[in-house]
Amino acid sequence: MLKPALAALFLFLFVSFSYYAYQIVYTPNVDTKERDVYVLIPTGATYEQAMDSLEASGVIIDKLSLRFMAKLMDYDKLVKPGRYKLTHGMGNRQLIGTLRLGQQAPLNLTFANVRLRSQLAAKLATEIEASEQELDSLLNDEQYLQTLGFDTTTIVSMFIPNTYEVYWTTSAPELMQRMKTEYDRFWTEERKTKAAALGLTQQQVSTLASIVQAETLKSDEKPRVAGVYLNRLKRGMLLQADPTVVFAVRDFSIRRVLNKHLVHDSPYNTYKYKGLPPGPINVPVISSIDAVLNPENHQYIYFCAREDFSGYHAFATNESEHQTNARRFHRALNERKIMK
């Protein structure tokens, strides 16, 4: 009687253990409620730190079974940094396998509305593991920037605003090299030929594009604005671009440039110094760069905001016509203030 009972007990324990083992390995242990959930495991993280990050995600159903599987698969010896996607319904084996192999989920890196190197570093640091300090250090290292073909005044032109697929663990030097590669890819032979025909270097094109971008948000108007500044450059006139003065003063709250701003001594003040400023006053988007490379052919050398407040501008070929346009705008502006 004892042997059959022991056999039955053994069979029961075997089946129970097998079922539990199956659950540990294959049963879904990630419940994301169908949302995209990612976990970040920093470079140098320990096993405990990695497990804490997983558990802190709030989507692990059975933490004990996950840890059991992690130990069984020697994950404590194979922790790899990265940004990992936790997929709804993942089992422990699949999850730990993904982490062991370092199968990161790439992210889409974007950057826009950036004026200064420091802002660029801060923006990039929110996207990847590299710190703001690491990025800022490279963006201000003259010797290092020379190896890329830039300096501290032109380096922002190397960053062509687009969407780039990168890994979260991308280091600061790796990101800089990636952006240089993308910059070289962007500047096709066709774009280089167009820049040369304008008598501008690639970096000068970016500088002028940054001014055009600061002057108008209307993509269809950018080629016309670019044509105005190119006409001024050809005639040896001061560019007299208000956005360059704002950049020179470093007060981006200025809504109207006054005489006190125009006398500020800076190579970026295009009311005082002829030609282009030393570098871009923002990171110009592709439409701004291409507007400079494909400017509208006209004789305009002035422009001011339209009186209909549409965001577009009124253009003029001479001072008298420009003053008429300016008076029309200021009259409409005063009427709007009275109505308010």
Side-chain angles (χ1 to χ4, degrees), residues 15-30:
V15 171
S16 297
F17 178 78
S18 297
Y19 177 69
Y20 183 63
Y22 179 86
Q23 283 188 311
I24 290 175
V25 176
Y26 297 109
T27 299
N29 197 28
V30 174

Side-chain angles (χ1 to χ4, degrees), residues 126 148 161 230 236:
T126 64
L148 300 175
L230 287 168

